[in-house]
Amino acid sequence: MLGGEFLLRDAALDSVFTPEEFSAEARLMGRTADDFLKKSVLPHVERIESHDIDLMAELMHKAGELGLLGAEVPEVYGGFGIDNRTGALIAEKLNWQQSFALSHEAHTVIATLPLQYFGSHALKSKYLPKLASGEWIGAFGLSESGSGSDALGAQTRADLSEDGTHWVLNGGKMWITNTAFAQLFTVFAKVDGDKFSCFMVEAGTPGLSYGKEEHKLGMRGTSTRRLILEDVTIPVANLMGEIGKGHYAAFCALNMGRFKLEAGAVGGMKETLAVCAAYANQRKQFNRTLGSFGMIQAKLGSLCGRLFALESAVYRLAGDLDSVFEGIDPTADSAPQAYHHAAEEYSIECSIVKVIGSELYSWATDEAIQIHGGYGYTEEFPVARAWRDQRLLRIGEGANEIVRPIIVNTLLRRAKQGRLDLAMPTATCSLKRVGLRLLQLLVERFGASLSEEQEALGAVSDIICAAYCHESASLRTQKLKGAAQETAKVCTALYLHESQTAAVAHTDLVLTRCNADPALRASIQCVLAPDFTADAVALRRTLAATVLASERYPLG
């Protein structure tokens, strides 16, 4: 099943990867990441939070020595050449210290992958081994003061010297993670002021300077500075890819970044759930533990159910990504085209997990503070830091207000290209059927002005996102056995109920905006009705009891 096709038909059970299917080698890499976090990173949380940049640089280099920076770099360029599934597992295990996790992601994904995908063999041979080993740390320069999510609105420019031997870059970049200790920057600039292109710039190049460290709400352990380019001269060979096609590198990096950030979010929410369960068991009010109160159980149960759906979707996506990346020869002249196709194929699904994961993480950490009460509002407990840090995820790699329309616009664009036939769905899932029908209705009603209907597009996008996560959870549940399957059934039933409840409001918004007649409104709304018999209170209490008994996420 190719990208976006999940909306049109039901996925086959054997086509979906689940985290229970990890190989022994992958689990070993996961344990390596977990051990590194617990032994080398978490003992230094106070220093990290006090913005000890030298320590962060030291930790990044140490991660490189363990293979955690070059895990997905091809072996020919000094890495381990592991798959996306294992890379996602590493991201999951590193997330509980989010400043380190972001520094790691900025290096391994958005700083390394553009070079890995679109660089020439000579450029990759020159720089990738250093990035893979941790000898050099990378950073990614895309955003500017006047262009954030509108990446192609960048004003930084690159001009070829008169003798054709080097490029001269002028401009500035914002929000550059790892700036203080990076040796290599992936910088996007417009050749002659209009051809969006990508360049590799080494630290120490004359004319390259940095702004002060940003004082941020969260991610306080990261180095975040402006990048200032004033007549920065680099070799002509440091152009990455073709002139005017830098957007390939930028968007492919962002797609993969969305996927990896939410793989990390899975790990962070597992820890959040565990911390909350332990506190709810220990803390007493009115001579009862917090965990014995229904409203606390509702929070724990909902988080468990939604987390199961997200985790299932993330690893399903990881398996699908591996299916299109497998077999690419990184040294071949055709590698950039192959990598571009692979990274673009599942861009819809990458956007889906980005929206679902980032907003679930926000909700989860906010509820974690609520469960902890006054203590949660202090730095004495880790939930305050988790709440501050995760807030970036709804902005980074494209604000969610941009990503939601991307989901539906990409579906429509692929339909025009003949890659998807939105008129011939065979899916049985009610969320899929309603989401697709509403999208068709919006196209019929608004036509060329559809892009201005962002509220309605966002509502349809949310239904489509929920459909993908629910199907992922349902298929994974079928693969599980014994007690794990019984718990997964409860998670899946609860997620479907909560998703359909939200979908009713989304559907009403779209139908009202389209001025749908009563018959059409009734025919669409009734699709969601059959599954509204679930006892949500009982489902949440069942999951909460399991979580409280083990004080951990029960399914992984």
Side-chain angles (χ1 to χ4, degrees), residues 218-256:
M219 300 292 188
R220 293 176 178 173
T222 60
S223 171
T224 309
R225 296 183 178 181
R226 297 188 184 204
L227 197 64
I228 303 164
L229 303 107
E230 298 175 308
D231 291 332
V232 173
T233 300
I234 60 172
V236 68
N238 278 31
L239 167 72
M240 193 161 64
E242 298 179 42
I243 293 175
K245 294 187 177 180
H247 58 290
Y248 288 0
F251 294 156
C252 286
L254 292 176
N255 280 336
M256 299 304 289

mmCIF file of all heavy atoms in Angstrom, residues 218-256:
data_model
loop_
_atom_site.group_PDB
_atom_site.id
_atom_site.type_symbol
_atom_site.label_atom_id
_atom_site.label_comp_id
_atom_site.label_asym_id
_atom_site.label_seq_id
_atom_site.Cartn_x
_atom_site.Cartn_y
_atom_site.Cartn_z
ATOM 1 N N GLY A 218 11.334 26.255 26.669
ATOM 2 C CA GLY A 218 11.754 24.887 26.935
ATOM 3 C C GLY A 218 12.987 24.540 26.135
ATOM 4 O O GLY A 218 13.638 25.413 25.556
ATOM 5 N N MET A 219 13.321 23.252 26.105
ATOM 6 C CA MET A 219 14.528 22.789 25.422
ATOM 7 C C MET A 219 15.726 23.641 25.849
ATOM 8 O O MET A 219 16.561 24.051 25.034
ATOM 9 C CB MET A 219 14.357 22.849 23.900
ATOM 10 C CG MET A 219 13.216 22.012 23.363
ATOM 11 S SD MET A 219 13.511 20.240 23.534
ATOM 12 C CE MET A 219 12.127 19.569 22.605
ATOM 13 N N ARG A 220 15.826 23.897 27.145
ATOM 14 C CA ARG A 220 16.825 24.841 27.644
ATOM 15 C C ARG A 220 18.250 24.327 27.521
ATOM 16 O O ARG A 220 19.199 25.112 27.592
ATOM 17 C CB ARG A 220 16.511 25.171 29.105
ATOM 18 C CG ARG A 220 15.206 25.943 29.270
ATOM 19 C CD ARG A 220 14.845 26.171 30.715
ATOM 20 N NE ARG A 220 13.616 26.952 30.854
ATOM 21 C CZ ARG A 220 13.008 27.172 32.005
ATOM 22 N NH1 ARG A 220 13.506 26.667 33.134
ATOM 23 N NH2 ARG A 220 11.898 27.884 32.041
ATOM 24 N N GLY A 221 18.397 23.035 27.350
ATOM 25 C CA GLY A 221 19.740 22.496 27.222
ATOM 26 C C GLY A 221 20.296 22.548 25.818
ATOM 27 O O GLY A 221 21.467 22.229 25.593
ATOM 28 N N THR A 222 19.485 22.946 24.843
ATOM 29 C CA THR A 222 19.949 23.024 23.464
ATOM 30 C C THR A 222 20.618 24.362 23.192
ATOM 31 O O THR A 222 20.300 25.372 23.816
ATOM 32 C CB THR A 222 18.776 22.851 22.478
ATOM 33 O OG1 THR A 222 17.820 23.888 22.701
ATOM 34 C CG2 THR A 222 18.117 21.499 22.642
ATOM 35 N N SER A 223 21.515 24.351 22.240
ATOM 36 C CA SER A 223 22.093 25.600 21.750
ATOM 37 C C SER A 223 21.252 26.063 20.570
ATOM 38 O O SER A 223 21.116 25.355 19.571
ATOM 39 C CB SER A 223 23.541 25.400 21.305
ATOM 40 O OG SER A 223 24.021 26.554 20.641
ATOM 41 N N THR A 224 20.669 27.263 20.683
ATOM 42 C CA THR A 224 19.827 27.811 19.619
ATOM 43 C C THR A 224 20.259 29.241 19.345
ATOM 44 O O THR A 224 20.070 30.132 20.186
ATOM 45 C CB THR A 224 18.343 27.785 20.029
ATOM 46 O OG1 THR A 224 18.000 26.488 20.494
ATOM 47 C CG2 THR A 224 17.460 28.164 18.858
ATOM 48 N N ARG A 225 20.841 29.458 18.205
ATOM 49 C CA ARG A 225 21.336 30.787 17.849
ATOM 50 C C ARG A 225 20.974 31.137 16.410
ATOM 51 O O ARG A 225 20.585 30.272 15.622
ATOM 52 C CB ARG A 225 22.865 30.840 17.983
ATOM 53 C CG ARG A 225 23.389 30.648 19.396
ATOM 54 C CD ARG A 225 24.902 30.797 19.413
ATOM 55 N NE ARG A 225 25.468 30.660 20.745
ATOM 56 C CZ ARG A 225 26.760 30.776 21.021
ATOM 57 N NH1 ARG A 225 27.623 31.040 20.048
ATOM 58 N NH2 ARG A 225 27.196 30.637 22.261
ATOM 59 N N ARG A 226 21.143 32.399 16.099
ATOM 60 C CA ARG A 226 21.034 32.835 14.705
ATOM 61 C C ARG A 226 22.329 32.518 13.979
ATOM 62 O O ARG A 226 23.403 32.512 14.579
ATOM 63 C CB ARG A 226 20.779 34.335 14.623
ATOM 64 C CG ARG A 226 19.479 34.781 15.254
ATOM 65 C CD ARG A 226 19.210 36.242 14.960
ATOM 66 N NE ARG A 226 18.013 36.711 15.622
ATOM 67 C CZ ARG A 226 17.291 37.749 15.215
ATOM 68 N NH1 ARG A 226 17.677 38.431 14.138
ATOM 69 N NH2 ARG A 226 16.204 38.121 15.869
ATOM 70 N N LEU A 227 22.193 32.277 12.701
ATOM 71 C CA LEU A 227 23.348 32.074 11.832
ATOM 72 C C LEU A 227 23.435 33.291 10.905
ATOM 73 O O LEU A 227 22.480 33.614 10.205
ATOM 74 C CB LEU A 227 23.157 30.786 11.024
ATOM 75 C CG LEU A 227 24.372 30.154 10.350
ATOM 76 C CD1 LEU A 227 25.374 29.695 11.394
ATOM 77 C CD2 LEU A 227 23.934 28.977 9.480
ATOM 78 N N ILE A 228 24.570 33.976 10.937
ATOM 79 C CA ILE A 228 24.746 35.203 10.167
ATOM 80 C C ILE A 228 25.792 34.963 9.087
ATOM 81 O O ILE A 228 26.905 34.512 9.373
ATOM 82 C CB ILE A 228 25.180 36.356 11.080
ATOM 83 C CG1 ILE A 228 24.153 36.552 12.206
ATOM 84 C CG2 ILE A 228 25.350 37.652 10.283
ATOM 85 C CD1 ILE A 228 24.659 37.389 13.353
ATOM 86 N N LEU A 229 25.413 35.225 7.822
ATOM 87 C CA LEU A 229 26.305 34.988 6.691
ATOM 88 C C LEU A 229 26.582 36.309 5.988
ATOM 89 O O LEU A 229 25.665 36.935 5.429
ATOM 90 C CB LEU A 229 25.685 33.987 5.715
ATOM 91 C CG LEU A 229 25.296 32.624 6.309
ATOM 92 C CD1 LEU A 229 23.781 32.521 6.432
ATOM 93 C CD2 LEU A 229 25.841 31.479 5.492
ATOM 94 N N GLU A 230 27.840 36.722 6.024
ATOM 95 C CA GLU A 230 28.250 37.969 5.395
ATOM 96 C C GLU A 230 29.419 37.679 4.450
ATOM 97 O O GLU A 230 30.550 37.487 4.876
ATOM 98 C CB GLU A 230 28.658 38.991 6.453
ATOM 99 C CG GLU A 230 27.521 39.365 7.404
ATOM 100 C CD GLU A 230 27.975 40.290 8.522
ATOM 101 O OE1 GLU A 230 28.959 39.970 9.214
ATOM 102 O OE2 GLU A 230 27.338 41.350 8.690
ATOM 103 N N ASP A 231 29.110 37.593 3.174
ATOM 104 C CA ASP A 231 30.111 37.245 2.158
ATOM 105 C C ASP A 231 30.847 35.956 2.534
ATOM 106 O O ASP A 231 32.084 35.877 2.470
ATOM 107 C CB ASP A 231 31.109 38.392 1.973
ATOM 108 C CG ASP A 231 30.476 39.612 1.319
ATOM 109 O OD1 ASP A 231 29.505 39.428 0.559
ATOM 110 O OD2 ASP A 231 30.937 40.730 1.582
ATOM 111 N N VAL A 232 30.089 34.955 2.910
ATOM 112 C CA VAL A 232 30.667 33.649 3.246
ATOM 113 C C VAL A 232 31.003 32.923 1.944
ATOM 114 O O VAL A 232 30.129 32.665 1.122
ATOM 115 C CB VAL A 232 29.682 32.823 4.100
ATOM 116 C CG1 VAL A 232 30.206 31.402 4.298
ATOM 117 C CG2 VAL A 232 29.458 33.499 5.441
ATOM 118 N N THR A 233 32.257 32.602 1.781
ATOM 119 C CA THR A 233 32.735 31.985 0.545
ATOM 120 C C THR A 233 32.980 30.497 0.755
ATOM 121 O O THR A 233 33.738 30.097 1.649
ATOM 122 C CB THR A 233 34.035 32.654 0.076
ATOM 123 O OG1 THR A 233 33.781 34.050 -0.153
ATOM 124 C CG2 THR A 233 34.545 32.023 -1.204
ATOM 125 N N ILE A 234 32.326 29.665 -0.065
ATOM 126 C CA ILE A 234 32.487 28.217 0.036
ATOM 127 C C ILE A 234 32.810 27.653 -1.343
ATOM 128 O O ILE A 234 32.493 28.259 -2.372
ATOM 129 C CB ILE A 234 31.212 27.542 0.589
ATOM 130 C CG1 ILE A 234 30.019 27.810 -0.330
ATOM 131 C CG2 ILE A 234 30.923 28.025 2.008
ATOM 132 C CD1 ILE A 234 28.771 27.028 0.048
ATOM 133 N N PRO A 235 33.448 26.469 -1.414
ATOM 134 C CA PRO A 235 33.778 25.877 -2.717
ATOM 135 C C PRO A 235 32.537 25.622 -3.561
ATOM 136 O O PRO A 235 31.454 25.330 -3.025
ATOM 137 C CB PRO A 235 34.456 24.556 -2.336
ATOM 138 C CG PRO A 235 34.950 24.762 -0.943
ATOM 139 C CD PRO A 235 33.945 25.660 -0.292
ATOM 140 N N VAL A 236 32.691 25.705 -4.854
ATOM 141 C CA VAL A 236 31.558 25.474 -5.748
ATOM 142 C C VAL A 236 31.006 24.064 -5.569
ATOM 143 O O VAL A 236 29.800 23.824 -5.745
ATOM 144 C CB VAL A 236 31.976 25.728 -7.211
ATOM 145 C CG1 VAL A 236 32.964 24.674 -7.703
ATOM 146 C CG2 VAL A 236 30.761 25.805 -8.126
ATOM 147 N N ALA A 237 31.851 23.125 -5.171
ATOM 148 C CA ALA A 237 31.421 21.742 -4.981
ATOM 149 C C ALA A 237 30.513 21.564 -3.775
ATOM 150 O O ALA A 237 29.889 20.516 -3.611
ATOM 151 C CB ALA A 237 32.642 20.827 -4.834
ATOM 152 N N ASN A 238 30.424 22.600 -2.914
ATOM 153 C CA ASN A 238 29.588 22.481 -1.721
ATOM 154 C C ASN A 238 28.115 22.809 -1.969
ATOM 155 O O ASN A 238 27.316 22.858 -1.045
ATOM 156 C CB ASN A 238 30.128 23.360 -0.588
ATOM 157 C CG ASN A 238 31.257 22.674 0.160
ATOM 158 O OD1 ASN A 238 32.007 21.883 -0.410
ATOM 159 N ND2 ASN A 238 31.381 22.961 1.450
ATOM 160 N N LEU A 239 27.770 23.027 -3.229
ATOM 161 C CA LEU A 239 26.359 23.025 -3.610
ATOM 162 C C LEU A 239 25.870 21.586 -3.505
ATOM 163 O O LEU A 239 26.505 20.664 -4.014
ATOM 164 C CB LEU A 239 26.191 23.520 -5.050
ATOM 165 C CG LEU A 239 24.813 23.290 -5.679
ATOM 166 C CD1 LEU A 239 23.777 24.218 -5.063
ATOM 167 C CD2 LEU A 239 24.882 23.480 -7.203
ATOM 168 N N MET A 240 24.739 21.373 -2.826
ATOM 169 C CA MET A 240 24.221 20.023 -2.647
ATOM 170 C C MET A 240 23.009 19.825 -3.548
ATOM 171 O O MET A 240 22.004 20.525 -3.423
ATOM 172 C CB MET A 240 23.838 19.782 -1.190
ATOM 173 C CG MET A 240 23.592 18.333 -0.864
ATOM 174 S SD MET A 240 23.683 18.059 0.897
ATOM 175 C CE MET A 240 22.306 19.048 1.451
ATOM 176 N N GLY A 241 23.107 18.895 -4.460
ATOM 177 C CA GLY A 241 22.035 18.676 -5.409
ATOM 178 C C GLY A 241 22.080 19.702 -6.523
ATOM 179 O O GLY A 241 23.103 20.355 -6.772
ATOM 180 N N GLU A 242 20.943 19.878 -7.178
ATOM 181 C CA GLU A 242 20.871 20.779 -8.326
ATOM 182 C C GLU A 242 20.436 22.181 -7.906
ATOM 183 O O GLU A 242 19.695 22.360 -6.938
ATOM 184 C CB GLU A 242 19.875 20.229 -9.346
ATOM 185 C CG GLU A 242 20.243 18.873 -9.911
ATOM 186 C CD GLU A 242 19.210 18.375 -10.905
ATOM 187 O OE1 GLU A 242 18.733 19.192 -11.727
ATOM 188 O OE2 GLU A 242 18.863 17.184 -10.856
ATOM 189 N N ILE A 243 20.915 23.165 -8.657
ATOM 190 C CA ILE A 243 20.475 24.538 -8.444
ATOM 191 C C ILE A 243 18.961 24.618 -8.653
ATOM 192 O O ILE A 243 18.427 24.073 -9.624
ATOM 193 C CB ILE A 243 21.197 25.498 -9.403
ATOM 194 C CG1 ILE A 243 22.689 25.578 -9.080
ATOM 195 C CG2 ILE A 243 20.575 26.893 -9.366
ATOM 196 C CD1 ILE A 243 23.485 26.405 -10.066
ATOM 197 N N GLY A 244 18.284 25.294 -7.731
ATOM 198 C CA GLY A 244 16.843 25.459 -7.858
ATOM 199 C C GLY A 244 16.013 24.308 -7.322
ATOM 200 O O GLY A 244 14.780 24.363 -7.352
ATOM 201 N N LYS A 245 16.678 23.268 -6.813
ATOM 202 C CA LYS A 245 15.935 22.117 -6.281
ATOM 203 C C LYS A 245 16.257 21.864 -4.809
ATOM 204 O O LYS A 245 16.136 20.742 -4.320
ATOM 205 C CB LYS A 245 16.221 20.870 -7.119
ATOM 206 C CG LYS A 245 15.675 20.984 -8.541
ATOM 207 C CD LYS A 245 15.819 19.684 -9.315
ATOM 208 C CE LYS A 245 15.197 19.823 -10.702
ATOM 209 N NZ LYS A 245 15.328 18.567 -11.485
ATOM 210 N N GLY A 246 16.618 22.920 -4.107
ATOM 211 C CA GLY A 246 16.894 22.780 -2.688
ATOM 212 C C GLY A 246 15.664 22.411 -1.880
ATOM 213 O O GLY A 246 15.773 21.841 -0.788
ATOM 214 N N HIS A 247 14.476 22.701 -2.445
ATOM 215 C CA HIS A 247 13.253 22.348 -1.729
ATOM 216 C C HIS A 247 13.100 20.841 -1.593
ATOM 217 O O HIS A 247 12.438 20.364 -0.670
ATOM 218 C CB HIS A 247 12.029 22.957 -2.418
ATOM 219 C CG HIS A 247 11.851 22.552 -3.844
ATOM 220 N ND1 HIS A 247 12.698 22.976 -4.845
ATOM 221 C CD2 HIS A 247 10.922 21.760 -4.432
ATOM 222 C CE1 HIS A 247 12.284 22.471 -6.005
ATOM 223 N NE2 HIS A 247 11.224 21.724 -5.776
ATOM 224 N N TYR A 248 13.710 20.071 -2.513
ATOM 225 C CA TYR A 248 13.678 18.620 -2.353
ATOM 226 C C TYR A 248 14.337 18.234 -1.034
ATOM 227 O O TYR A 248 13.799 17.451 -0.243
ATOM 228 C CB TYR A 248 14.422 17.930 -3.502
ATOM 229 C CG TYR A 248 13.734 17.949 -4.843
ATOM 230 C CD1 TYR A 248 12.492 18.549 -5.017
ATOM 231 C CD2 TYR A 248 14.324 17.356 -5.957
ATOM 232 C CE1 TYR A 248 11.867 18.564 -6.249
ATOM 233 C CE2 TYR A 248 13.699 17.358 -7.199
ATOM 234 C CZ TYR A 248 12.482 17.968 -7.341
ATOM 235 O OH TYR A 248 11.867 17.983 -8.567
ATOM 236 N N ALA A 249 15.521 18.774 -0.808
ATOM 237 C CA ALA A 249 16.262 18.450 0.414
ATOM 238 C C ALA A 249 15.529 18.963 1.651
ATOM 239 O O ALA A 249 15.439 18.270 2.671
ATOM 240 C CB ALA A 249 17.667 19.039 0.352
ATOM 241 N N ALA A 250 14.991 20.183 1.560
ATOM 242 C CA ALA A 250 14.316 20.770 2.718
ATOM 243 C C ALA A 250 13.074 19.979 3.094
ATOM 244 O O ALA A 250 12.878 19.604 4.261
ATOM 245 C CB ALA A 250 13.940 22.223 2.421
ATOM 246 N N PHE A 251 12.223 19.690 2.123
ATOM 247 C CA PHE A 251 10.948 19.041 2.437
ATOM 248 C C PHE A 251 11.128 17.575 2.803
ATOM 249 O O PHE A 251 10.396 17.056 3.657
ATOM 250 C CB PHE A 251 9.976 19.198 1.268
ATOM 251 C CG PHE A 251 9.558 20.625 1.024
ATOM 252 C CD1 PHE A 251 9.119 21.038 -0.215
ATOM 253 C CD2 PHE A 251 9.621 21.570 2.042
ATOM 254 C CE1 PHE A 251 8.741 22.352 -0.446
ATOM 255 C CE2 PHE A 251 9.252 22.892 1.827
ATOM 256 C CZ PHE A 251 8.800 23.283 0.580
ATOM 257 N N CYS A 252 12.085 16.904 2.173
ATOM 258 C CA CYS A 252 12.346 15.517 2.550
ATOM 259 C C CYS A 252 12.879 15.442 3.978
ATOM 260 O O CYS A 252 12.503 14.544 4.749
ATOM 261 C CB CYS A 252 13.332 14.869 1.582
ATOM 262 S SG CYS A 252 12.612 14.475 -0.028
ATOM 263 N N ALA A 253 13.743 16.379 4.331
ATOM 264 C CA ALA A 253 14.259 16.419 5.704
ATOM 265 C C ALA A 253 13.134 16.685 6.691
ATOM 266 O O ALA A 253 13.064 16.070 7.766
ATOM 267 C CB ALA A 253 15.335 17.490 5.829
ATOM 268 N N LEU A 254 12.217 17.592 6.350
ATOM 269 C CA LEU A 254 11.114 17.903 7.243
ATOM 270 C C LEU A 254 10.162 16.717 7.380
ATOM 271 O O LEU A 254 9.644 16.445 8.474
ATOM 272 C CB LEU A 254 10.355 19.134 6.752
ATOM 273 C CG LEU A 254 11.134 20.455 6.820
ATOM 274 C CD1 LEU A 254 10.319 21.588 6.221
ATOM 275 C CD2 LEU A 254 11.516 20.785 8.253
ATOM 276 N N ASN A 255 9.904 16.011 6.278
ATOM 277 C CA ASN A 255 9.063 14.811 6.359
ATOM 278 C C ASN A 255 9.640 13.812 7.345
ATOM 279 O O ASN A 255 8.938 13.298 8.225
ATOM 280 C CB ASN A 255 8.945 14.140 4.989
ATOM 281 C CG ASN A 255 7.930 14.806 4.097
ATOM 282 O OD1 ASN A 255 7.004 15.467 4.566
ATOM 283 N ND2 ASN A 255 8.089 14.645 2.798
ATOM 284 N N MET A 256 10.920 13.519 7.189
ATOM 285 C CA MET A 256 11.551 12.537 8.061
ATOM 286 C C MET A 256 11.669 13.063 9.488
ATOM 287 O O MET A 256 11.584 12.302 10.454
ATOM 288 C CB MET A 256 12.923 12.155 7.511
ATOM 289 C CG MET A 256 12.881 11.530 6.111
ATOM 290 S SD MET A 256 11.813 10.076 6.009
ATOM 291 C CE MET A 256 12.782 8.906 6.951
#
